[in-house]
Amino acid sequence: MTASELERRLSFLKEVAPFNSIPKTALELVAGSFQVRKYKNREIIIYQGDTTCNFYVIKTGTVRILTIDESGNESCLRVLTAHDIFGELSAYDSAPRSASAQAVGPCTILAMDHSVFRRYLMDMPDLALAFTQFLSEKLRWTTLFCHTIAQYDTAGRLLHLILHYKDMFGRVIVEGKTYEVDLPLTQSDLASMVGARREWVNRLLQKWRKKGFLTYSRGTVTILDHSALVAEMNRRMAKFQDESW
Amino acid sequence: MTASELERRLSFLKEVAPFNSIPKTALELVAGSFQVRKYKNREIIIYQGDTTCNFYVIKTGTVRILTIDESGNESCLRVLTAHDIFGELSAYDSAPRSASAQAVGPCTILAMDHSVFRRYLMDMPDLALAFTQFLSEKLRWTTLFCHTIAQYDTAGRLLHLILHYKDMFGRVIVEGKTYEVDLPLTQSDLASMVGARREWVNRLLQKWRKKGFLTYSRGTVTILDHSALVAEMNRRMAKFQDESW
DNA sequence: GTTTCACTGTGAACCAGGTCACATTTACAG
DNA sequence: CTGTAAATGTGACCTGGTTCACAGTGAAAC
């Protein structure tokens, strides 16, 4: 790797969550240990159940995390994009992969071998602490999310999801009002993510379309009235807020 | 602390998840840094929103983790017992407490100051790795749980919850068949945990009581037919398993 | 002992969401 | 350009779950 390549990789890694808080010298060491890999559309990066333990950083492109249950039914868990990391859990604990990862469109991915990664964790307390903090934030977020979705009804969960991905993927058209969210997801995928049926997701999207809140066209959600969607979502929680006083 | 006290504490900590995998010499160091605290029934150990960052291990008794939302509505997140740890997240990342912790009955708790804890994490790579693994398992579990409850209906979620606490709290009466699960939870608490209303939880419990699957009496669930409950729970998933082939 | 209050049990009306069945649109292979 | 499969849209009907209203049942408090 040339010096300018290293330089570019360093500035890239500074945008990646757990690496942005470690000293520059440490980061230089780490940066050299990634391999670059390219994946084509629909290519599988990680197979659920595998015992590979590498960990990955998305350089460009989009990755879908999904599970397939005993009866072959596939269900999308989440969608990741540039600067997100995935596969870290197995890198720490060597447990089999709990989900698959699939390229959505062409992707460039940095991969690190788990034994190298573990060594860094042991040798660089700063890195270990950064990862611990990263994990703890993620766990805090997931726990809250888990609790939140248990409270919302299906419409609330779907809005929650759309607004979440708006923050990740959204292209601003009119600040605070109009956004284009290019999710690589079908309505069936959305349904599997919120635990509902495709038909109901469709009906909800239609309802919001008729109200002028958003439009949906094979994977692209265009938010037309952001504050109306937020208000709609909050109304969904309200039903649980009136008791106990 | 006398030598025999230290000895007892060491053997206690060997039963506590992230400490059970670190070398004995390291454990001896850590063990000396806990303070013992006693809490009375209903006493609050951690207040949601606080910026204290200590972390805790339950020696004896039961602790309830709960949140209170903007409108004062309290909702139970989970219930912990001896050998469980809590409050670790703020110890890593110093973020404000996302939930409160309350003693259910008298409790003895070991507390460690977060600055001491952080120092150990920096100085002892073994400990840091053990905690990283612990966190990653917890995150893996929480993610799966989150995904699972989104799929189940209310009855399925309630069964999932009861069976989960059976593993934590259950006293075996007849192996594989009858268990007594002494949860310190009202039906309203159960309802808030599965995102349903008290009345519906009651109706479900009544239904299962009439079928002879369990009984419920102010906080104590007695599982009378474990395999029937498991079967009932699995049936709840089945509705999502028939499509896509 | 009786008052009180939090928890539990239950009916009836109603709405969210699932089920099934099909029509329509769109993407893509040949 | 055309056939085929996948994704989307929609109606009719049914069930799970909420809402509201109120009655029963302890357990602790005076």
Side-chain angles (χ1 to χ4, degrees), chain A residues 67 69-78 88-90 92-93 95-98 118 121-122 125-126 128-129 131-133 135-140 142-143 145-147 149-151 157 192-197 239-245, chain B residues 67 69-78 88-90 92-93 95-98 118 121-122 125-126 128-129 131-133 135-140 142-143 145-147 149-151 157 192-197 239-245:
Chain A
T67 56
D69 64 25
E70 317 79 55
S71 42
N73 197 12
E74 96 172 36
S75 162
C76 182
L77 294 183
R78 55 188 187 280
E88 346 85 81
L89 297 190
S90 293
Y92 305 130
D93 64 12
R97 301 297 188 178
S98 54
R118 291 265 207 119
L121 279 188
M122 291 294 275
D126 285 322
L129 197 63
F131 266 88
T132 314
Q133 283 173 11
L135 265 182
S136 88
E137 268 163 48
K138 204 164 157 182
L139 184 55
R140 194 190 292 282
T142 307
T143 306
F145 181 77
C146 181
H147 182 238
I149 60 161
Q151 307 296 336
R157 295 207 292 265
S192 77
M193 291 174 92
V194 298
R197 314 251 87 199
K239 66 169 174 168
F240 288 95
Q241 296 190 354
D242 43 22
E243 50 179 45
S244 93
W245 66 331
Chain B
T67 57
D69 65 26
E70 318 79 56
S71 43
N73 198 11
E74 95 171 37
S75 162
C76 183
L77 294 183
R78 55 188 187 281
E88 346 84 81
L89 297 190
S90 294
Y92 305 130
D93 64 13
R97 300 298 188 178
S98 56
R118 291 264 206 121
L121 279 188
M122 292 294 276
D126 285 323
L129 197 64
F131 266 88
T132 315
Q133 283 174 12
L135 265 181
S136 89
E137 268 163 48
K138 205 164 157 181
L139 185 56
R140 194 188 290 281
T142 307
T143 306
F145 182 77
C146 182
H147 183 238
I149 60 161
Q151 308 295 339
R157 295 207 292 265
S192 77
M193 294 174 90
V194 298
R197 317 253 76 201
K239 66 170 174 169
F240 289 95
Q241 296 192 351
D242 42 23
E243 49 180 45
S244 92
W245 65 330

Side-chain angles (χ1 to χ4, degrees), chain B residues 166-178:
Chain B
K166 176 224 121 197
D167 292 333
M168 281 183 67
F169 288 94
R171 207 161 57 76
V172 178
I173 312 249
V174 180
E175 182 64 39
K177 179 91 176 164
T178 316

Side-chain angles (χ1 to χ4, degrees), chain B residues 9 33 36 72-73 90 93 109 125 138 140 149 162 189-190 193 214 217-218 230 236 244:
Chain B
R9 184 168 299 173
S33 306
V36 181
N73 198 11
S90 294
D93 64 13
I109 307 232
K138 205 164 157 181
R140 194 188 290 281
I149 60 161
I162 291 172
D189 287 329
L190 291 175
M193 294 174 90
L214 54 71
S217 163
R218 86 202 99 279
V230 173
R236 303 284 159 178
S244 92

Side-chain angles (χ1 to χ4, degrees), chain A residues 9-245:
Chain A
R9 184 169 299 173
L10 280 176
S11 70
F12 169 75
L13 285 175
K14 280 207 190 100
E15 307 275 307
V16 174
F19 294 110
N20 52 12
S21 60
I22 69 169
K24 189 157 192 271
T25 51
L27 192 56
E28 276 171 16
L29 251 172
V30 173
S33 307
F34 284 104
Q35 293 170 44
V36 182
R37 297 193 193 169
K38 300 215 176 249
Y39 293 90
K40 289 193 283 273
N41 186 25
R42 301 193 165 261
E43 204 170 338
I44 302 292
I45 305 166
I46 294 176
Y47 285 90
Q48 182 176 353
D50 258 24
T51 50
T52 60
C53 302
N54 299 336
F55 114 93
Y56 301 90
V57 183
I58 305 177
K59 197 157 178 220
T60 61
T62 303
V63 172
R64 220 162 78 95
I65 310 294
L66 53 99
T67 56
I68 300 184
D69 64 25
E70 317 79 55
S71 42
N73 197 12
E74 96 172 36
S75 162
C76 182
L77 294 183
R78 55 188 187 280
V79 179
L80 304 174
T81 185
H83 301 106
D84 287 329
I85 74 174
F86 64 95
E88 346 85 81
L89 297 190
S90 293
Y92 305 130
D93 64 12
S94 305
R97 301 297 188 178
S98 54
S100 300
Q102 180 185 35
V104 179
C107 292
T108 315
I109 307 235
L110 302 179
M112 187 183 289
D113 185 80
H114 76 285
S115 56
V116 175
F117 176 63
R118 291 265 207 119
R119 175 128 311 282
Y120 284 136
L121 279 188
M122 291 294 275
D123 293 348
M124 303 172 19
D126 285 322
L127 186 70
L129 197 63
F131 266 88
T132 314
Q133 283 173 11
F134 173 75
L135 265 182
S136 88
E137 268 163 48
K138 204 164 157 182
L139 184 55
R140 194 190 292 282
W141 189 89
T142 307
T143 306
L144 183 67
F145 181 77
C146 181
H147 182 238
T148 304
I149 60 161
Q151 307 296 336
Y152 281 111
D153 61 7
T154 303
R157 295 207 292 265
L158 184 57
L159 287 169
H160 190 97
L161 190 76
I162 290 172
L163 293 171
H164 173 65
Y165 281 110
K166 176 224 124 199
D167 293 332
M168 282 183 66
F169 287 94
R171 205 163 57 77
V172 179
I173 311 245
V174 180
E175 181 62 38
K177 179 91 176 164
T178 316
Y179 300 86
E180 200 178 277
V181 189
D182 194 2
L183 293 169
L185 300 170
T186 67
Q187 293 182 4
S188 300
D189 286 329
L190 290 176
S192 77
M193 291 174 92
V194 298
R197 314 251 87 199
R198 200 213 91 225
E199 293 92 326
W200 187 247
V201 168
N202 183 279
R203 278 181 249 256
L204 288 170
L205 291 174
Q206 295 308 321
K207 196 178 80 181
W208 295 326
R209 189 172 58 72
K210 276 169 197 148
K211 287 193 179 180
F213 293 174
L214 54 71
T215 62
Y216 177 90
S217 165
R218 82 203 105 275
T220 302
V221 176
T222 308
I223 296 175
L224 298 176
D225 189 345
H226 181 256
S227 51
L229 288 181
V230 173
E232 178 83 6
M233 184 174 78
N234 290 332
R235 266 199 322 104
R236 303 284 159 179
M237 284 303 305
K239 66 169 174 168
F240 288 95
Q241 296 190 354
D242 43 22
E243 50 179 45
S244 93
W245 66 331

